[in-house]
Amino acid sequence: MSRFHSYMNTAEQLIKNYKGDVPLAIFMRSFFSANKKFGSKDRKQISALCYNYFRIGSAANGVPPQEKILMAFFLCENESSDLLEALMPEWNQQINQSLQIKFQLLGSKFILSDLFPFAGRLSETIDAEKFSISFLVQPDLFLRIRPKTRLGFLKKLEKSKLEYTIKDDDCVVLTNSTNVEEYFTIDKEVIIQDYNSQKVFDFFKPQNATYETPLTTIWDCCAASGGKSILLFDIFNQRIDLTVSDIRPSIILNLHQRFNKAGLKSYKYFIADIEKTGFEHPVEPSSIIVCDVPCTGSGTWARTPEQLAFFKEDSIKDFSDRQKKITTNVIPYLKPGGTFVYITCSVFKEENEEVVRFILSKFDLELLRMELLKGYDKKADSMFIAVFRKK
């Protein structure tokens, strides 16, 4: 048996055994740790076959598993491959063609609309076809340059000889496989943060401010890893009175360590289930509440395409219900004239526009901005943001 058939058989077995209970990256790492016979080149090839398989979602479900694996490899790769040359040479000859031509070559075996079968539930401004196509492309890696580190960082960047582009002055775009920790001090010099995550607070930047509101006391109520808190810390030139909270003690512990690296020393924190009925905020009301709620994460699935295969459509309503409970519990702790920022990394309208309508119906808030930050045309994540002011 050729090594290429071995790669295909291994990939098919991995896909069959994977149940979606852990991230695919962890599952595959565990497999390779237990199977030392695979060298780095073998691991790279098998991993690509598995990831590409999940990238085409529910499309081509009617074809045999190994044919679907090869089909996915053909669609997602754009450089000639020894594996494809050995197993499907006619596809290898067309590997650098556009996706539209590849779709035509595959004919009825591959229907793009089957890839993402939840198009009817997308937010109102999303182009379903473009969003589906984005799954076939590996997203980029984005860094945000911290204030006061720009010159030193750029010198390091030039010295690194990495291929990069710079967007919007402080956003660096690298290939996804770049080991940035080898070159830069993460959280001190730069933050690993998706492009649209960097854009969610642009309206707080002085040049974009169109309204007056006190910008001092901030509660990041679903803080997670703290990336957005650090962004606010930088935008407001470190002059913020910050409170962070999360339901998970381990997350708060990691957040402490990250804040220390980022130079964010003075802040309050607490651990609480803000979704729970009867929740009481232990800190004074805030001028700004950031509510980056738990969600389906569907705007990030191009980074974790395995979620396409294991997603349960019923969970959209479950998340929407949770989001309504959370916003109901936290908005009362917003000061008069304060700003409430609702964020998801979801592309589903039930988690986005419908929650906005719920908030407006329940609270005396003015909607200042509502936008789906599209990432599918930037090799980035898609995010939803709505900004309210308390009357």
Side-chain angles (χ1 to χ4, degrees), residues 67-83:
E67 184 178 351
K68 179 172 177 176
I69 292 171
L70 282 177
M71 186 183 297
F73 191 84
F74 171 60
L75 287 170
C76 298
E77 303 293 333
N78 52 28
E79 294 184 2
S80 180
S81 158
D82 290 342
L83 180 144

Side-chain angles (χ1 to χ4, degrees), residues 4-124:
F4 302 121
H5 285 99
S6 175
Y7 290 159
M8 291 293 292
N9 290 338
T10 301
E12 181 181 7
Q13 196 63 33
L14 279 166
I15 291 165
K16 181 180 179 181
N17 291 337
Y18 179 60
K19 305 304 179 185
D21 50 343
V22 297
L24 181 59
I26 294 176
F27 175 80
M28 297 192 67
R29 192 179 307 132
S30 176
F31 171 79
F32 289 129
S33 294
N35 294 269
K36 302 294 187 181
K37 65 179 181 179
F38 295 105
S40 60
K41 186 176 180 180
D42 302 329
R43 295 194 299 269
K44 183 177 179 180
Q45 184 72 83
I46 294 166
S47 296
L49 291 170
C50 292
Y51 270 99
N52 290 338
Y53 174 91
F54 286 112
R55 285 193 176 283
I56 68 172
S58 299
N61 277 352
V63 304
Q66 292 207 7
E67 184 178 351
K68 179 172 177 176
I69 292 171
L70 282 177
M71 186 183 297
F73 191 84
F74 171 60
L75 287 170
C76 298
E77 303 293 333
N78 52 28
E79 294 184 2
S80 180
S81 158
D82 290 342
L83 180 144
L84 207 58
E85 181 64 29
L87 302 180
M88 195 67 76
E90 60 271 29
W91 286 356
N92 194 50
Q93 293 170 12
Q94 304 292 332
I95 194 70
N96 60 355
Q97 295 286 358
S98 69
L99 280 170
Q100 294 300 331
I101 291 176
K102 290 182 178 181
F103 295 157
Q104 293 173 14
L105 290 170
L106 295 177
S108 60
K109 288 186 176 181
F110 179 87
I111 306 299
L112 179 62
S113 58
D114 291 342
L115 187 156
F116 185 82
F118 317 109
R121 306 190 72 160
L122 288 172
S123 274
E124 297 159 4

Side-chain angles (χ1 to χ4, degrees), residues 15 18-21 54 305-313:
I15 291 165
Y18 179 60
K19 305 304 179 185
D21 50 343
F54 286 112
E306 66 272 19
Q307 295 197 42
L308 263 176
F310 294 94
F311 178 68
K312 305 298 183 185
E313 193 168 358

Side-chain angles (χ1 to χ4, degrees), residues 52-255:
N52 290 338
Y53 174 91
F54 286 112
R55 285 193 176 283
I56 68 172
S58 299
N61 277 352
V63 304
Q66 292 207 7
E67 184 178 351
K68 179 172 177 176
I69 292 171
L70 282 177
M71 186 183 297
F73 191 84
F74 171 60
L75 287 170
C76 298
E77 303 293 333
N78 52 28
E79 294 184 2
S80 180
S81 158
D82 290 342
L83 180 144
L84 207 58
E85 181 64 29
L87 302 180
M88 195 67 76
E90 60 271 29
W91 286 356
N92 194 50
Q93 293 170 12
Q94 304 292 332
I95 194 70
N96 60 355
Q97 295 286 358
S98 69
L99 280 170
Q100 294 300 331
I101 291 176
K102 290 182 178 181
F103 295 157
Q104 293 173 14
L105 290 170
L106 295 177
S108 60
K109 288 186 176 181
F110 179 87
I111 306 299
L112 179 62
S113 58
D114 291 342
L115 187 156
F116 185 82
F118 317 109
R121 306 190 72 160
L122 288 172
S123 274
E124 297 159 4
T125 61
I126 291 181
D127 184 310
E129 182 174 301
K130 290 181 180 178
F131 179 67
S132 295
I133 288 174
S134 72
F135 280 91
L136 305 177
V137 181
Q138 174 79 2
D140 282 328
L141 176 66
F142 297 89
L143 304 179
R144 179 175 65 82
I145 307 172
R146 300 285 311 279
K148 304 176 183 178
T149 68
R150 182 179 178 82
L151 291 179
F153 168 77
L154 290 177
K155 287 179 181 178
K156 282 189 176 182
L157 185 60
E158 286 297 322
K159 188 177 179 180
S160 73
K161 304 300 182 182
L162 294 170
E163 292 187 10
Y164 69 91
T165 56
I166 295 181
K167 295 170 66 73
D168 305 333
D169 294 330
D170 57 0
C171 177
V172 180
V173 187
L174 301 165
T175 60
N176 195 271
S177 59
T178 305
N179 182 10
V180 293
E181 293 183 354
E182 181 179 337
Y183 303 96
F184 315 114
T185 306
I186 305 304
D187 292 333
K188 184 176 181 180
E189 291 180 311
V190 290
I191 304 292
I192 299 174
Q193 192 167 39
D194 182 75
Y195 178 73
N196 281 324
S197 287
Q198 298 182 33
K199 305 296 288 181
V200 292
F201 299 135
D202 275 5
F203 52 89
F204 282 136
K205 295 180 178 179
Q207 66 270 27
N208 293 333
T210 57
Y211 55 89
E212 294 183 0
T213 185
L215 301 177
T216 51
T217 310
I218 300 173
W219 176 26
D220 187 352
C221 67
C222 303
S225 63
K228 292 181 178 62
S229 288
I230 299 173
L231 177 56
L232 288 168
F233 179 68
D234 290 344
I235 288 175
F236 293 125
N237 198 27
Q238 305 183 9
R239 296 192 297 269
I240 60 174
D241 179 7
L242 176 66
T243 300
V244 293
S245 62
D246 202 279
I247 191 174
R248 300 156 293 182
S250 61
I251 290 292
I252 292 295
L253 178 61
N254 292 336
L255 179 145

Side-chain angles (χ1 to χ4, degrees), residues 207-362:
Q207 66 270 27
N208 293 333
T210 57
Y211 55 89
E212 294 183 0
T213 185
L215 301 177
T216 51
T217 310
I218 300 173
W219 176 26
D220 187 352
C221 67
C222 303
S225 63
K228 292 181 178 62
S229 288
I230 299 173
L231 177 56
L232 288 168
F233 179 68
D234 290 344
I235 288 175
F236 293 125
N237 198 27
Q238 305 183 9
R239 296 192 297 269
I240 60 174
D241 179 7
L242 176 66
T243 300
V244 293
S245 62
D246 202 279
I247 191 174
R248 300 156 293 182
S250 61
I251 290 292
I252 292 295
L253 178 61
N254 292 336
L255 179 145
H256 291 328
Q257 297 169 348
R258 190 179 189 195
F259 278 6
N260 184 57
K261 292 179 184 177
L264 208 171
K265 307 290 187 181
S266 178
Y267 59 95
K268 307 178 190 72
Y269 71 93
F270 64 92
I271 298 165
D273 182 358
I274 60 174
E275 183 183 337
K276 188 176 180 180
T277 302
F279 162 76
E280 293 186 5
H281 189 356
V283 185
E284 290 295 315
S286 303
S287 297
I288 297 171
I289 297 178
V290 176
C291 192
D292 187 357
V293 291
C295 68
T296 57
S298 44
T300 71
W301 286 353
R303 297 189 187 277
T304 53
E306 66 272 19
Q307 295 197 42
L308 263 176
F310 294 94
F311 178 68
K312 305 298 183 185
E313 193 168 358
D314 289 348
S315 68
I316 299 175
K317 184 181 185 306
D318 294 338
F319 275 108
S320 181
D321 290 343
R322 292 180 63 192
Q323 291 150 5
K324 291 171 184 176
K325 290 177 183 177
I326 289 171
T327 54
T328 296
N329 284 346
V330 303
I331 288 175
Y333 296 98
L334 183 66
K335 289 182 178 179
T339 304
F340 179 71
V341 186
Y342 176 80
I343 303 171
T344 79
C345 52
S346 172
V347 293
F348 295 123
K349 58 188 173 186
E350 199 166 337
E351 298 183 89
N352 297 338
E353 293 90 347
E354 290 187 17
V355 174
V356 169
R357 285 190 279 270
F358 168 81
I359 291 170
L360 290 173
S361 70
K362 189 173 181 64

